[in-house]
Amino acid sequence: MTTLTKLALGLMGQLRPKPAAGDAAAQIRLPRPQRHGGMPLMAALAHRRSSREFAATPLPPQLLADLL
């Protein structure tokens, strides 16, 4: 299947991802995201930036749930 075919099928909603095989990570249950507080969307977009620094510690479950 060519990349163009995959793109067309994906746009039409016909291409489904295959489940992970092998050493797939176990599923984790996240807390409900916090949907109140914070800054308005347009302000967040105006202040966004990219960063290439990664911490050695994992994200807390609540922060991960809010981001996802």
Side-chain angles (χ1 to χ4, degrees):
M1 187 180 307
T2 67
T3 303
L4 186 58
T5 304
K6 290 179 184 178
L7 177 64
L9 289 173
L11 290 173
M12 294 185 323
Q14 300 297 315
L15 188 63
R16 301 282 183 245
K18 294 179 181 175
D23 295 334
Q27 292 183 359
I28 59 171
R29 297 195 57 82
L30 295 174
R32 290 188 164 276
Q34 296 176 351
R35 296 182 181 219
H36 58 277
M39 69 172 64
L41 175 62
M42 296 311 287
L45 291 175
H47 291 96
R48 75 174 185 84
R49 63 182 177 82
S50 294
S51 176
R52 300 290 189 270
E53 297 176 22
F54 300 97
T57 57
L59 293 175
Q62 184 62 58
L63 180 59
L64 185 58
D66 293 345
L67 289 171
L68 293 175

